[in-house]
Amino acid sequence: MRLNMFKRMLTMLLPVLLVLAMLPVAAFAAEADNKVEVRLKAGSKTVKINGKATTVEAPFVSNGTTMVPLKVITNAFGAGLKLENGNVITLTYNDRKIVLTFGSKTVKVNGAAKAVAVAPVAVKGSTMVPLRVIVEAFGAKITADNATKETIIIGVRAQSSGTGGTSIDSEFGKTKIGDSYHGWSLNYPAGLIQVDQSDNGEFITWADTADDSKVAAQVNVITERVGDDKLSVEEQRELMISYYDQDEITVDKRTITVGGLTFEKVISYAKQTKMNYEYRGIQKGDKYYIVIVGAKGANKSVLTSYDTFLNSFTPSFNTADKSLKDVTKVKDGVITFKDEDYGLTVKLPTDWNKDYESTTPSFQNDKELFFFSLTSLTAGVTMDNWAQKREARIREDFVNSSVRNFVTTPVTLIDGKAVALSYELSLGEDAWFTYNEIALFSGNYRYSLVYMYPTANSAKSKLTYNQVLASVDIDTALIEKTFGNVEESYDLADRSTKTTKRSSTYGYSIELPTYWYGIQKNFNEDDVLYTFSAGSINIFESDTPAATVVNSLLQYVNSTEGSAQGSTTKQSNTVTINGKTAQHVVIHTSKPQDDIPYTEEFYIFDSAQGTIVFSLNYYDVRASDSNLKIINDAVQSIRFN
């Protein structure tokens, strides 16, 4: 099965938790003109810095205070940024030092306390801070444009940029840099700062500024796994060209020899950014190394000054060379991943990667997944009874034939005694997956670790699982300081509570369980979408009569697309719900693209406002008696005025 199926299996079991996030933000490079003009408007995601528009989390006004994304201030004014203890923000601007704290309405400017009406807060991953107290500390002026309703901030950039990077020149006694695991080295890219490095170190980037839009000089080293077969000249060049931006054009390509080594060389020009790039590539064993130098200029002649630097690259690492700094991410065969927002440290094999799209720490390779989350302690749930309650919930959520072999065992983590619940789950086709759910109770929180792998891979995966579990280290003190009440939403939440949703536009109401999650939740709009552990409910208005909607559904089942996905009509009849007649159509899909068979039930009502369709979608493995009752109760609660 594909990796996206592994992800889907995991998300079917676990909640998606929103989290406060503090992301380090780099400042713009200094410009010849130090004047700064920022234009922004409450409720608008567009902010203009010196006329250049950028998209941010929308500023808002609370208690008379304009709150803006912190990165707008650091980017515009070149202020330095530092985060301490997960919740203390320090901004430096020339001789000014501004200290803000999440949850505190006191801001310190050069040590002097100033009261603000609203404390810093995280909104959808953006840190929002009070605007006026900060920019006035910078000596900036705030005015308003009555015509555009924009707030205007006028000031100057800091005399020195606070990028937070480490200058290459500051590495005392080191003149070369390399990666001992990936096996390469070259001279230091003088005057540049390291701005990026992948989790496993397969690529690393230096630039003259941490802001992508302001880069005038840049160096990248990329390590590709290509197998043992020797790549042809054209294959090598195609591999390098695959790293082009969309507007890059090739202006030169050839084979060169440097120090007895043969490289493929490609030179390109990016029209939009006016950057010239030189790519050099060489294969050694199963690895292909690409070194890229970029410089802004009228033509490729600007790259000539980098020849000595490029000529220093070698696909080897000399551990005896004291002038060589090792930047490898791999130590003793593992990568140490750190998530500062969650205070999580874990060591994983070199073929693992972090999932940056996940709101909570999630890691994977091509077969296994590891997931971390936390919730506040739930009344009545203890370390002693958690596994029992969790097993009961899983059995409620899945049909009997898809889950088996529950085992509860005590485990010891770095942070204390925990309990592990292991079981096997199948979504069909006799493909079984082993889940290991570990619960650690500490302070005010329950920490959840989940490790999943194909049951057929048990011998190898069990060994990795034990090694990973032994490496997990959670900064529980940081969590206690940073997080508030994180209520349980799925795992052990009370599913008996309901809420009534009404649509005055379309004249209906429905009772939904409170644990169902609203994605499109304005019931006066013509499209509503909620998800839940078993599937989803979609409510929408159609301009066509109910009979036409039914015919369209039946035609789809018999279409080429429907047949290819194994769609069949299980039921098509008329039902009455609370005195209102509806057309009821049930369609089963046995071969969907995501490999998980599911059922769709449509309840189609004719009303004065048009045709209203209630579509319920649930996975076959989730069609347990408990889930079907919850779904049916929601349907039976539908009422029209």
Side-chain angles (χ1 to χ4, degrees):
M1 289 191 179
R2 298 183 297 274
L3 181 59
N4 62 354
M5 182 176 177
F6 298 162
K7 292 182 181 179
R8 180 181 291 271
M9 291 180 68
L10 187 62
T11 55
M12 285 172 66
L13 279 173
L14 299 171
V16 178
L17 303 175
L18 296 177
V19 60
L20 303 180
M22 269 295 300
L23 300 177
V25 182
F28 288 119
E31 300 175 3
D33 182 3
N34 285 329
K35 182 180 177 181
V36 175
E37 181 189 79
V38 181
R39 286 178 170 261
L40 55 86
K41 182 162 53 177
S44 172
K45 292 187 176 183
T46 299
V47 171
K48 294 179 181 177
I49 300 175
N50 288 346
K52 182 178 179 180
T54 185
T55 301
V56 299
E57 183 64 30
F60 61 88
V61 177
S62 177
N63 289 341
T65 299
T66 300
M67 303 291 287
V68 301
L70 178 59
K71 66 181 178 181
V72 170
I73 294 172
T74 56
N75 285 359
F77 289 90
L81 171 64
K82 183 179 180 182
L83 175 66
E84 297 176 287
N85 299 325
N87 66 340
V88 179
I89 305 164
T90 300
L91 296 171
T92 52
Y93 175 88
N94 297 337
D95 62 346
R96 304 294 176 89
K97 181 179 178 181
I98 298 92
V99 180
L100 308 95
T101 304
F102 277 100
S104 173
K105 295 181 180 180
T106 299
V107 177
K108 291 184 178 180
V109 179
N110 283 356
K114 293 181 177 292
V116 293
V118 184
V121 65
V123 177
K124 296 180 181 178
S126 291
T127 300
M128 310 297 286
V129 295
L131 172 67
R132 183 175 295 274
V133 68
I134 298 174
V135 298
E136 286 186 348
F138 291 176
K141 303 296 183 184
I142 301 179
T143 59
D145 187 328
N146 294 327
T148 63
K149 307 299 183 184
E150 292 175 310
T151 298
I152 305 172
I153 304 100
I154 303 293
V156 296
R157 287 185 59 80
Q159 293 175 3
S160 61
S161 175
T163 61
T166 300
S167 171
I168 294 297
D169 295 331
S170 68
E171 298 292 341
F172 178 76
K174 303 293 185 182
T175 59
K176 292 185 284 187
I177 197 164
D179 189 305
S180 60
Y181 176 76
H182 292 295
W184 60 263
S185 60
L186 79 169
N187 291 345
Y188 264 119
L192 305 183
I193 59 172
Q194 183 180 317
V195 295
D196 198 8
Q197 187 177 15
S198 64
D199 292 330
N200 60 9
E202 286 183 346
F203 75 79
I204 185 168
T205 303
W206 298 270
D208 56 349
T209 172
D211 181 1
D212 291 342
S213 66
K214 300 292 183 180
V215 168
Q218 184 175 340
V219 173
N220 294 273
V221 179
I222 300 167
T223 306
E224 281 267 11
R225 298 278 185 174
V226 294
D228 294 326
D229 292 338
K230 179 66 177 177
L231 298 179
S232 69
V233 168
E234 284 306 314
E235 286 174 332
Q236 293 181 60
R237 293 173 180 177
E238 288 172 4
L239 181 55
M240 289 188 283
I241 290 172
S242 70
Y243 285 94
Y244 276 17
D245 287 333
Q246 288 185 345
D247 66 338
E248 277 186 63
I249 58 174
T250 301
V251 297
D252 194 344
K253 56 182 176 181
R254 65 183 70 188
T255 303
I256 62 173
T257 300
V258 178
L261 298 173
T262 301
F263 292 81
E264 290 307 313
K265 172 181 172 180
V266 177
I267 296 179
S268 68
Y269 177 69
K271 293 181 285 186
Q272 183 174 353
T273 60
K274 301 188 184 306
M275 291 285 286
N276 298 272
Y277 293 99
E278 179 169 339
Y279 295 73
R280 290 194 187 180
I282 186 171
Q283 183 174 359
K284 183 177 180 181
D286 66 344
K287 297 176 182 177
Y288 194 80
Y289 301 93
I290 303 173
V291 186
I292 309 170
V293 167
K296 189 167 289 186
N299 55 56
K300 64 185 179 66
S301 64
V302 72
L303 297 168
T304 304
S305 62
Y306 291 94
D307 279 348
T308 301
F309 169 73
L310 285 167
N311 290 343
S312 73
F313 180 83
T314 178
S316 62
F317 186 96
N318 183 1
T319 56
D321 189 346
K322 301 302 181 183
S323 68
L324 179 55
K325 178 187 176 183
D326 191 359
V327 294
T328 187
K329 286 285 194 80
V330 180
K331 304 289 185 182
D332 299 323
V334 296
I335 306 168
T336 300
F337 291 86
K338 293 184 178 181
D339 190 303
E340 294 183 357
D341 297 320
Y342 278 92
L344 173 70
T345 301
V346 60
K347 295 179 180 180
L348 295 165
T350 56
D351 61 336
W352 283 66
N353 293 287
K354 183 175 182 179
D355 182 357
Y356 287 96
E357 295 182 1
S358 175
T359 57
T360 51
S362 179
F363 310 89
Q364 64 200 25
N365 63 10
D366 62 345
K367 289 186 174 67
E368 299 149 299
L369 285 171
F370 174 70
F371 189 95
F372 173 88
S373 62
L374 61 88
T375 60
S376 297
L377 297 183
T378 303
V381 180
T382 66
M383 180 79 79
D384 293 332
N385 65 19
W386 171 82
Q388 181 182 1
K389 290 180 177 292
R390 178 65 181 140
E391 179 179 341
R393 174 52 51 85
I394 294 168
R395 291 188 182 280
E396 281 181 1
D397 261 353
F398 291 91
V399 297
N400 291 337
S401 60
S402 68
V403 65
R404 69 188 185 190
N405 295 341
F406 284 89
V407 177
T408 301
T409 55
V411 295
T412 301
L413 303 178
I414 291 174
D415 297 287
K417 301 291 184 180
V419 60
L421 176 66
S422 300
Y423 55 94
E424 294 172 13
L425 176 68
S426 175
L427 300 187
E429 298 183 357
D430 201 33
W432 289 87
F433 296 84
T434 298
Y435 284 81
N436 300 279
E437 296 190 33
I438 298 92
L440 170 68
F441 286 65
S442 177
N444 294 310
Y445 298 94
R446 174 172 61 83
Y447 299 93
S448 176
L449 312 172
V450 178
Y451 195 103
M452 186 273 285
Y453 54 82
T455 303
N457 200 50
S458 289
K460 181 178 179 181
S461 294
K462 280 183 179 179
L463 178 61
T464 306
Y465 161 64
N466 290 328
Q467 292 171 341
V468 169
L469 208 60
S471 75
V472 171
D473 191 359
I474 307 166
D475 188 345
T476 56
L478 172 66
I479 299 298
E480 295 287 345
K481 289 181 181 179
T482 306
F483 286 78
N485 186 37
V486 184
E487 289 187 349
E488 175 66 71
S489 57
Y490 264 75
D491 193 357
L492 298 173
D494 181 2
R495 295 187 177 180
S496 65
T497 58
K498 301 176 182 179
T499 180
T500 300
K501 302 293 185 179
R502 293 181 172 84
S503 174
S504 57
T505 301
Y506 297 107
Y508 69 82
S509 66
I510 185 171
E511 289 184 1
L512 299 181
T514 54
Y515 78 93
W516 288 16
Y517 178 74
I519 296 175
Q520 296 165 226
K521 50 191 174 185
N522 186 341
F523 283 76
N524 288 318
E525 297 289 338
D526 59 5
D527 202 356
V528 173
L529 177 63
Y530 274 69
T531 63
F532 49 96
S533 56
S536 63
I537 180 172
N538 184 205
I539 308 170
F540 58 92
E541 185 268 342
S542 174
D543 294 332
T544 58
T548 304
V549 174
V550 171
N551 287 335
S552 296
L553 292 172
L554 299 179
Q555 288 174 7
Y556 167 78
V557 170
N558 296 316
S559 70
T560 301
E561 182 181 355
S563 298
Q565 296 199 65
S567 297
T568 56
T569 303
K570 293 298 184 182
Q571 194 170 335
S572 180
N573 63 324
T574 300
V575 297
T576 300
I577 300 174
N578 294 315
K580 184 72 172 177
T581 299
Q583 301 299 315
H584 181 212
V585 178
V586 182
I587 297 174
H588 181 258
T589 299
S590 60
K591 298 182 292 185
Q593 293 181 352
D594 63 7
D595 298 321
I596 307 176
Y598 64 90
T599 296
E600 292 175 285
E601 291 199 42
F602 298 89
Y603 294 86
I604 306 157
F605 296 85
D606 275 325
S607 73
Q609 292 79 17
T611 301
I612 309 299
V613 181
F614 294 77
S615 169
L616 292 112
N617 176 314
Y618 50 89
Y619 297 107
D620 288 7
V621 293
R622 291 282 196 169
S624 62
D625 291 343
S626 175
N627 280 331
L628 291 179
K629 182 180 185 306
I630 292 171
I631 292 169
N632 187 62
D633 286 349
V635 170
Q636 295 304 317
S637 74
I638 297 171
R639 286 180 168 80
F640 282 81
N641 298 339

